[in-house]
Amino acid sequence: MNAQDLSGLYPVLAQLPPALAARIAAETQTMTVPGGTVVFDEHQACQGFPFVIKGDIRVLKPAANGRELPLYRVLPGESCIISSSCLLGHSDYNARGVAEGETTLALMPRLLFDELLAEPAFRDFVFHLFSERIAELMQLIEEVAFRKLDQRLAGLLLGKGKLVRATHQHLADELGSVREMISRLLKGFAEQGLVRLSREQVEILDPAGLRRIADA
Amino acid sequence: MNAQDLSGLYPVLAQLPPALAARIAAETQTMTVPGGTVVFDEHQACQGFPFVIKGDIRVLKPAANGRELPLYRVLPGESCIISSSCLLGHSDYNARGVAEGETTLALMPRLLFDELLAEPAFRDFVFHLFSERIAELMQLIEEVAFRKLDQRLAGLLLGKGKLVRATHQHLADELGSVREMISRLLKGFAEQGLVRLSREQVEILDPAGLRRIADA
DNA sequence: ATCGCTCGGTGACTTTGGTTACAGACGCCG
DNA sequence: CGGCGTCTGTAACCAAAGTCACCGAGCGAT
């Protein structure tokens, strides 16, 4: 792995003692995988700490019936708290990570991760990502436990700008639901004049109206 | 606050430099609250880092309609990651903490918490609790998103020993559901010979059968 | 052009869970 | 004993979401 690339995306690495930085360069394995690759999965031991260089990882929880619930995305410069949690607690993964588009990542061996945690700078880096993700997970719990699908869909659309390019299936996946439900709800939104529908596209006409539905 | 009591429950505090230990003793406020007290709530700024001395705090997510979903409990010697997360990210609480039974807790001011984080021992303490709770939250997400109520109830009963003393209402609360559903499901279990019901009590007759339902 | 694929639309049905509204059982305490 | 509050049983009804089945529109490739 090119140490410059990694430090560019993860500034925290530049703050480490040279000896450690050298070991990171030497011991992390870089790989590039095509979109859709499962980079880790439930009940699997965590092999190391992943840095995302390019592309991104969708972390999701698979259900028995084949549906799945997206938890969060790991972008370049971020870290995967599930991996951190597994490495810290020596437990298996409890979710699945899938490359979204061609993705390059660097895998740091577990032992090196343990040593890095001794470094305050690195520890803070992981720490703060933990705390950010916690809030996201709480939000997610609230959504799946309490919010109705129309509220969630309205919220999702609002987070995607004025013109949303996505198939109904894609939107359904993001909510852990099914296409038919999304089609029905979108039709309802369209009848209320909130959106205009066309193939693989949803145009937001009335953001305020959607907002009312989202936080009803 | 008596520094010995606190260090006894939270051994990590004994590893801190004497100057900090003194400040903790001086600056933490101890209070005892009756059961049911809301010690923090959604959309409230986090005033400080809580140590539980006696009793315990149920952390839960309230829904609009009055129901609530239990997230986890904080026992003496543990910490509340929601509080940590809020303090780290300077964000508001996104859940509610309720004392379960009479509870004594010590509240450490936010600024002192920030300073303590500079101490490796304390940071590790918070760190590891983070990683443990993450796994619990993942489990919870899986439950509410994918498992049916009978599966969840079966699992809950299995985690409570052979003889469960609880009202149906209590069980419903633990699952974020309602009494009627629990009564119905328990009746079904009883008809299958899995449990025997009596007032405020559920006797497990066939753990294996319940297990089959739980992870169907 | 037409074959075939993906995408979207739609109606009928099922399952799950929750809601409403009672009624009966139990137990405690005056 | 009698009255009251808590706990449990249960039926009817409802809403949300998912499932099934099928159709038709649009689009791209041969």
Side-chain angles (χ1 to χ4, degrees), chain A residues 109-166:
Chain A
R110 186 190 336 213
L111 291 175
L112 187 49
F113 176 78
D114 286 341
E115 288 184 52
L116 272 185
L117 280 184
E119 293 296 323
F122 186 77
R123 204 158 32 184
D124 277 347
F125 167 71
V126 179
F127 221 156
H128 279 88
L129 275 161
F130 258 69
S131 89
E132 281 173 33
R133 297 286 195 219
I134 291 276
E136 289 175 28
L137 287 179
M138 298 296 304
Q139 178 63 29
L140 181 63
I141 288 175
E142 163 151 30
E143 290 224 345
V144 298
F146 299 135
R147 322 266 292 181
K148 286 192 299 172
L149 201 52
D150 57 347
Q151 301 177 278
R152 300 215 285 141
L153 177 58
L156 179 66
L157 291 174
L158 285 169
K160 287 181 169 293
K162 201 149 185 53
L163 195 64
V164 183
R165 300 218 81 242

Side-chain angles (χ1 to χ4, degrees), chain B residues 67 148-149 177-178 180-181 184:
Chain B
R67 296 223 316 274
K148 286 192 298 171
L149 202 51
S177 180
V178 294
E180 292 90 326
M181 288 300 308
R184 279 210 282 252

Side-chain angles (χ1 to χ4, degrees), chain B residues 156-213:
Chain B
L156 179 65
L157 291 174
L158 286 170
K160 287 183 169 290
K162 203 153 183 52
L163 196 64
V164 183
R165 302 219 80 242
T167 69
H168 295 183
Q169 184 61 58
H170 198 77
L171 295 172
D173 290 344
E174 290 206 54
L175 297 175
S177 180
V178 294
R179 182 188 61 83
E180 292 90 326
M181 288 300 308
I182 303 302
S183 290
R184 279 210 282 252
L185 291 172
L186 284 176
K187 184 192 172 195
F189 291 171
E191 282 167 359
Q192 295 173 63
L194 302 173
V195 302
R196 187 193 339 263
L197 301 178
S198 45
R199 190 182 179 82
E200 301 195 22
Q201 169 174 310
V202 181
E203 185 186 352
I204 312 281
L205 298 178
D206 179 358
L210 280 181
R211 171 59 54 201
R212 259 197 313 282
I213 290 179

Side-chain angles (χ1 to χ4, degrees), chain B:
Chain B
M1 175 59 211
N2 181 320
Q4 271 70 48
D5 289 3
L6 207 50
S7 294
L9 286 167
Y10 294 85
V12 62
L13 298 182
Q15 297 172 44
L16 301 175
L20 271 179
R23 290 191 51 200
I24 294 173
E27 297 183 28
T28 59
Q29 277 198 336
T30 305
M31 57 184 143
T32 296
V33 298
T37 306
V38 173
V39 292
F40 59 84
D41 207 341
E42 285 195 307
H43 312 116
Q44 214 177 262
C46 184
Q47 297 307 322
F49 183 82
F51 296 97
V52 177
I53 314 285
K54 198 168 63 70
D56 69 280
I57 307 285
R58 291 192 314 127
V59 178
L60 50 88
K61 187 92 189 161
N65 58 7
R67 296 223 316 274
E68 31 191 57
L69 183 69
L71 300 175
Y72 55 84
R73 275 173 227 278
V74 186
L75 301 175
E78 298 182 343
S79 94
C80 172
I81 54 164
I82 304 257
S83 297
S84 305
S85 171
C86 292
L87 288 170
L88 277 167
H90 302 282
S91 52
D92 287 355
Y93 275 113
N94 43 28
R96 178 182 297 166
V98 183
E100 183 166 59
E102 185 177 279
T103 297
T104 303
L105 36 84
L107 196 68
M108 184 163 70
R110 187 193 331 216
L111 291 175
L112 188 48
F113 176 78
D114 287 341
E115 288 185 53
L116 272 184
L117 280 182
E119 294 296 322
F122 186 77
R123 202 156 35 184
D124 277 348
F125 166 72
V126 179
F127 221 157
H128 279 88
L129 275 161
F130 258 69
S131 89
E132 280 173 33
R133 297 286 194 215
I134 291 278
E136 289 175 30
L137 287 179
M138 298 296 305
Q139 177 63 31
L140 181 63
I141 288 175
E142 162 150 32
E143 289 225 343
V144 298
F146 298 135
R147 322 263 296 182
K148 286 192 298 171
L149 202 51
D150 58 345
Q151 301 178 276
R152 300 214 285 140
L153 177 58
L156 179 65
L157 291 174
L158 286 170
K160 287 183 169 290
K162 203 153 183 52
L163 196 64
V164 183
R165 302 219 80 242
T167 69
H168 295 183
Q169 184 61 58
H170 198 77
L171 295 172
D173 290 344
E174 290 206 54
L175 297 175
S177 180
V178 294
R179 182 188 61 83
E180 292 90 326
M181 288 300 308
I182 303 302
S183 290
R184 279 210 282 252
L185 291 172
L186 284 176
K187 184 192 172 195
F189 291 171
E191 282 167 359
Q192 295 173 63
L194 302 173
V195 302
R196 187 193 339 263
L197 301 178
S198 45
R199 190 182 179 82
E200 301 195 22
Q201 169 174 310
V202 181
E203 185 186 352
I204 312 281
L205 298 178
D206 179 358
L210 280 181
R211 171 59 54 201
R212 259 197 313 282
I213 290 179
D215 32 56

